[in-house]
Amino acid sequence: MSVIYFVARPMVTLDSYWVIPTSLSLLNEGNFDLDEYRNYGLEESYAAIRMENHYFNYFPYGISILITPIVSVLNLFFKEALFFKYHAHLEKLCASILILFSLSILYKLSTHFLSNRMAAILVFVIGLGTPLLSSGSRALWQHSGSVLLLSLALLLLVSKKQTKVSITFLGVILVFAYVVRPTNIIPLVSISFFVFYLYPVQRLNYLSSFLISFCIFFLINYFTFGEIFHPYYQSNRLSFDWDVFRIALLGNLFSPNRGIFIWSPVLLIIFLTFFISIRYKLIALLCVSIIILHSLAISMFPHWWGGHSVGPRFFTDIIPFFVLILSLVWKKFRKNHLFTLTFLILATISMSIHISALFSKRTQLWNIRGGDVNEFPERIWDWNKPQFFPFE
């Protein structure tokens, strides 16, 4: 599976163009500003923003912090100009490392409920049959970092013994996940309620780590940008119009070109959550709630289709919650032959779709072929040669 990730075509996007340079700035100058890169199109870039007389990445800086160890190694071998010349390939390398690391954590998570063999099969399917492959591993949007941190948070949450250290670390991880991608406010709040309900003895430890982490975040923002919130985190990026919302919600779930259950039909198995053991109902309810709230939130973005994306990119972040639910469902139905056959069929379809989208040059060109999808978002519903279809 690792080979597929590393030989895949990179996603060429300018959204993440300044992610690695921000890491370089942290390493070389100890700050987030990008002023030293004016010669690389900084002033003309839509992905850069000017604040406090300095230029910064418009998108969240959390992912830049997360990949700093990787970039520090690359910095030993690459000159500055090469980071820009090969930015797409280096982004794919960093994102792939984060996703593969996430999959190893998800494997460990699944072994809490399944045998090692079953957990390996499940993670293999998730790794090749979901947006982790077609979106998360191919560019440095925030998704790869988000998946890593949320996977780690879930692993801590299902640990049989919760200690002061694990609960404290959980609070830090969840706040960091929010710093990486603002939509992670949903799992942050949801898991916080879960912790407060289930571990009353650890409430103070969790709350302390939670508040201290947020204070650090606010202080960094204030001294860097002059305000406690970076513009990308502001709620005015969301809007609600019922006519748009209902189309967006259906589109995010079932459209041929952005629908999560069309691109990854293996995830339909979560609808069997109702039948899982009563012992796991609470953690399952938590995961289902996060998935539902996330679906509602991304459907309130005016550009709910994710611009020039590949498939259901906006669902990438919450794949770890799907994995936990699938583990519980498979545990319940592991001796059911009909379930096993259905799982294998849906898994094969899912992997075929994402691998096809991964290697075809026409996949990303779909966004402009027949009209720019940003100008004609109705194309999301076009079943005629969908985005994952690799042929003319």
Side-chain angles (χ1 to χ4, degrees):
M1 181 165 62
S2 298
V3 173
I4 293 177
Y5 271 76
F6 288 122
V7 302
R9 300 179 70 254
M11 179 81 73
V12 181
T13 174
L14 296 180
D15 285 5
S16 52
Y17 190 75
W18 300 108
V19 172
I20 291 179
T22 300
S23 296
L24 287 171
S25 186
L26 281 171
L27 288 168
N28 298 331
E29 300 194 358
N31 58 50
F32 289 102
D33 74 63
L34 300 165
D35 298 341
E36 62 269 36
Y37 303 119
R38 290 175 185 267
N39 293 334
Y40 298 100
L42 179 65
E43 296 180 9
E44 297 79 24
S45 174
Y46 72 84
I49 186 172
R50 185 178 175 86
M51 299 179 69
E52 297 290 297
N53 296 315
H54 296 285
Y55 283 96
F56 300 94
N57 185 8
Y58 169 69
F59 296 93
Y61 55 78
I63 187 68
S64 295
I65 297 175
L66 197 59
I67 65 166
T68 297
I70 303 173
V71 175
S72 66
V73 176
L74 295 174
N75 202 24
L76 299 174
F77 305 98
F78 284 83
K79 294 182 179 179
E80 180 182 285
L82 294 179
F83 279 100
F84 290 90
K85 183 177 181 180
Y86 298 107
H87 79 94
H89 295 83
L90 294 175
E91 283 188 34
K92 183 182 77 70
L93 174 64
C94 294
S96 294
I97 291 173
L98 294 181
I99 292 296
L100 288 170
F101 190 23
S102 302
L103 288 170
S104 68
I105 296 173
L106 291 174
Y107 167 75
K108 183 66 175 177
L109 173 70
S110 298
T111 58
H112 279 74
F113 312 103
L114 302 172
S115 68
N116 291 348
R117 176 174 169 273
M118 294 169 69
I121 293 172
L122 177 59
V123 170
F124 182 82
V125 171
I126 293 298
L128 297 181
T130 69
L132 295 187
L133 179 68
S134 57
S135 291
S137 68
R138 300 179 66 197
L140 278 175
W141 286 300
Q142 306 102 50
H143 308 300
S144 54
S146 183
V147 171
L148 174 61
L149 294 169
L150 292 178
S151 298
L152 187 56
L154 279 179
L155 182 61
L156 290 170
L157 197 62
V158 301
S159 297
K160 293 181 180 179
K161 185 178 180 181
Q162 296 295 346
T163 65
K164 178 180 178 180
V165 174
S166 65
I167 287 293
T168 300
F169 191 40
L170 178 62
V172 174
I173 290 295
L174 287 171
V175 174
F176 193 8
Y178 169 73
V179 175
V180 168
R181 187 159 177 82
T183 53
N184 288 331
I185 191 69
I186 293 171
L188 186 155
V189 172
S190 302
I191 293 175
S192 295
F193 278 116
F194 184 86
V195 169
F196 267 60
Y197 175 75
L198 213 57
Y199 306 108
V201 177
Q202 301 288 358
R203 287 175 183 172
L204 184 58
N205 294 324
Y206 180 83
L207 186 62
S208 298
S209 66
F210 182 93
L211 293 177
I212 291 172
S213 299
F214 258 117
C215 285
I216 293 172
F217 171 61
F218 292 145
L219 287 172
I220 290 174
N221 289 340
Y222 183 77
F223 286 108
T224 303
F225 310 113
E227 45 190 83
I228 63 171
F229 278 108
H230 182 284
Y232 192 88
Y233 294 81
Q234 296 174 6
S235 60
N236 59 11
R237 296 187 65 248
L238 297 177
S239 62
F240 185 82
D241 179 298
W242 170 248
D243 291 331
V244 174
F245 173 77
R246 62 186 179 85
I247 294 173
L249 183 59
L250 288 173
N252 280 319
L253 296 176
F254 299 109
S255 69
N257 296 299
R258 292 294 185 267
I260 185 64
F261 293 123
I262 300 299
W263 280 66
S264 297
V266 70
L267 299 182
L268 287 166
I269 290 173
I270 69 164
F271 288 102
L272 296 175
T273 305
F274 179 78
F275 298 101
I276 67 172
S277 169
I278 189 67
R279 175 185 175 187
Y280 302 112
K281 287 290 186 182
L282 196 58
I283 189 72
L285 177 62
L286 171 69
C287 293
V288 170
S289 299
I290 290 171
I291 291 171
I292 291 174
L293 291 172
H294 181 88
S295 303
L296 297 176
I298 63 175
S299 298
M300 288 190 281
F301 283 117
H303 60 295
W304 59 268
W305 56 91
H308 291 180
S309 300
V310 171
R313 175 169 70 89
F314 283 166
F315 272 98
T316 307
D317 309 87
I318 59 167
I319 292 300
F321 299 99
F322 280 102
V323 172
L324 198 154
I325 294 175
L326 290 176
S327 298
L328 294 175
V329 172
W330 200 357
K331 179 180 177 65
K332 172 67 177 180
F333 292 101
R334 63 187 182 279
K335 296 181 180 180
N336 187 302
H337 296 303
L338 178 60
F339 172 84
T340 302
L341 178 61
T342 302
F343 175 83
L344 291 175
I345 292 172
L346 294 178
T348 301
I349 295 172
S350 301
M351 291 189 290
S352 299
I353 287 174
H354 285 275
I355 292 174
S356 169
L358 183 72
F359 289 105
S360 174
K361 293 181 180 180
R362 299 183 180 92
T363 301
Q364 198 169 6
L365 292 176
W366 178 92
N367 290 300
I368 56 175
R369 184 184 63 197
D372 191 321
V373 70
N374 288 329
E375 298 180 19
F376 305 99
E378 62 272 14
R379 292 187 57 231
I380 299 301
W381 292 96
D382 185 6
W383 281 96
N384 182 31
K385 296 179 181 176
Q387 188 174 25
F388 55 78
F389 188 73
F391 309 107
E392 288 288 353

